[in-house]
Amino acid sequence: MKQYLILVVPALLAQGCLSSKEEIKEQPLKMIKQIDFSHVKINDNFWSPRLNKHVSTTLPVCIDQIENQTGRIRNFENAAKGEGKHSGFFFDDSDVYKALEGIAYSLINHPDPELEKKADEWIDKIEKAQQPDGYINTFYTLTNLEKRWTNMDKHEMYCAGHMIEAAIAYFQATGKRKLLDASIRMADHMMRQFGPEKAHWVPGHEEIELALVKLYQITQEEKYLDFAHWLLEERGHGHGSKDGKGTWDPDYYQDNYPVKELTDISGHAVRNMYLYCGMADIAVLKNNTEYMAAIHRLWDDVVLRNMYITGGIGSSKHNEGFTKDYDLPNLKAYCETCASVGMVLWNQRMNLITGDAKYIDILERSMYNGVLAGISLSGDRFFYVNPLESKGDHHRQEWYGCACCPNQLSRFLPTIGNYIYAISDDALWVNLYVGNTTRFTLNDDNVILRQETNYPWDGSVKLTVSSTKDLDKEIRLRIPGWCKNYTITINGKEVGLSQEKGYAIVYDWKSGDVISLDMDMPVEVESADPQVMENIGKRAIQRGPLVYCVEETDIPGHFDQLTLTPDTKFQTSFENDLLNGVKTVNAKNGQQLITFIPYYAWDNREAGKMKVWIDYKE
């Protein structure tokens, strides 16, 4: 396998998402919906400890930073009083909203009256900071309201988008509408300012587009969907302006062409991900075939020419994004954690649209490597930037002045269950292999899914589907792109199967059957695309979905002389006492022994050098 997966563009299906309060219902035609994480109880050795850490450590860290260590919540308090200074960056409101969204998601599967009380306190402060006309942004409220809506790069709509997402999450978790109603007032305020026959606006940082789609889905108010579409259509027509005087970099802001004409990713990585998510949503809900064609072209450009083996994207610190195709330095790689989360969000949409497993392959790659590397095993330290090589001076931090990534993780981690299953009119789709018990209602039938696995350490999975009625659905089991050999049995008997778009299709099954998938998971030696000059003469190690790296602490004294050859022998060993339990890959090359650990686990021990790509001698 090369660093880029060269695959075909699939046919079009339709997309949908289920809120935590909705019954899962079959839809006409070919609709694929995720099964919402609120129905999924994860209980495995890999993800459960991380979800527990999210509740016990990560959320409290975020709350403490927002309340005590920074001025983020005080900005709302000051804005409500109409006095005092604004502290921090002009976009810091978004950190409060993202952490609040993380709280909401945590409450869904881990009810906690004290945590809910804390959220209510924040929401009261947010609502009191809102202006009578619905506008809310503490930066302009505390600096100069007359300057609001004069600079497209000041993240007013970006913050509003995160407010909307947090409001919907909290409404779904608790049924409480206060923040949702405040968000609706802000959305209506924006629509009074901008739109057809009104002022132009190009959001400097995308996010509002996908949030408005969610607002449409929760309210069924078509105007929010139309406004999201209008904002996308504003791009590429010369309307962008950073200061009202024309200062603007169209490539950086994805404003270089109308979005339907886009072919190449450019500029800031996270902004691109949110843009593509918004385009995917509109493509489905508006049946926009031009958007659909564009996001397929863009996916090819991102994955085949601009993605790291970790699923990270964005090679340049200069613009937190992209330079030219195949420019993928290891030491100076940017690979922002938020961008990897964005890859998960976008690729899930692409999978739901197409029913093609190749998108889940990328989702999984980004999630297990690019995203998980962004948070320490203790849950309280974070990476903003995720390089593929370190000279020993790159470390996780307790917090950042620009703290988008810690708060992004706080809202992403509790939703891992969103990506495991999906359902359509004719199939149950199994996308990720995570131990869990899932319960949902389908056409008045109670359905229970049980998945048992030690993934990602081995490739054995047992799935049991129980229902009171005949589901009359095939089961589609994703066969990961890294898997070359697998077997599927039903109640211990091997069955012949067909495969389509990366899924093995199980037709003949009944309630209570144990469906077993056994995937070979050998150590793979990976080479980069030859156009990646940085990695000529180098190799990387991958096993299953995990990319591996070498840390100096395991190989003191000769770290810089490490080499792999065609004769290198590999062995794996599960180390219970190492890095909260990991399967290491040990490479023996003559007298040289190299210990590889999962990339996500680096920088959790002694400071030292690290690298993913190792010199290779034929």
Side-chain angles (χ1 to χ4, degrees), residues 471-487:
L471 290 184
D472 193 28
K473 292 183 184 293
E474 63 198 30
I475 294 177
R476 295 195 168 218
L477 299 170
R478 169 178 155 261
I479 306 303
W482 54 260
C483 178
K484 297 180 176 63
N485 296 292
Y486 69 93
T487 59

Side-chain angles (χ1 to χ4, degrees), residues 94-240:
S94 63
D95 286 342
V96 179
Y97 299 139
K98 282 189 278 189
L100 187 54
E101 189 178 354
I103 290 172
Y105 292 146
S106 180
L107 289 173
I108 288 174
N109 281 342
H110 297 89
D112 181 340
E114 289 302 311
L115 190 59
E116 185 172 341
K117 180 181 177 182
K118 176 63 64 180
D120 288 338
E121 291 174 2
W122 284 13
I123 291 169
D124 285 343
K125 294 175 181 181
I126 292 167
E127 186 196 40
K128 289 175 182 176
Q130 190 166 36
Q131 297 297 301
D133 63 0
Y135 180 82
I136 181 166
N137 184 284
T138 67
F139 173 75
Y140 278 109
T141 299
L142 293 172
T143 57
N144 188 344
L145 267 175
E146 292 183 2
K147 290 187 177 181
R148 62 181 178 171
W149 303 124
T150 60
N151 188 329
M152 297 182 188
D153 194 35
K154 285 297 185 183
H155 290 39
E156 288 161 280
M157 286 195 179
Y158 170 80
C159 290
H162 280 300
M163 178 186 181
I164 291 169
E165 290 202 83
I168 293 170
Y170 199 65
F171 173 69
Q172 292 174 330
T174 66
K176 297 177 181 178
R177 290 191 59 100
K178 182 178 286 188
L179 189 60
L180 179 60
D181 290 337
S183 296
I184 289 171
R185 291 194 293 272
M186 178 56 168
D188 291 344
H189 164 81
M190 291 186 291
M191 291 173 63
R192 288 193 296 270
Q193 312 300 313
F194 309 106
E197 310 302 324
K198 302 172 188 174
H200 292 292
W201 194 261
V202 179
H205 195 312
E206 297 90 334
E207 151 67 21
I208 185 64
E209 301 85 352
L210 60 92
L212 285 167
V213 171
K214 288 186 177 182
L215 190 59
Y216 154 71
Q217 291 171 328
I218 203 76
T219 65
Q220 291 299 297
E221 291 278 354
E222 194 89 17
K223 63 182 182 179
Y224 300 123
L225 180 63
D226 292 340
F227 189 43
H229 189 198
W230 180 84
L231 286 169
L232 290 171
E233 287 294 293
E234 281 287 275
R235 296 182 176 277
H237 300 288
H239 301 317

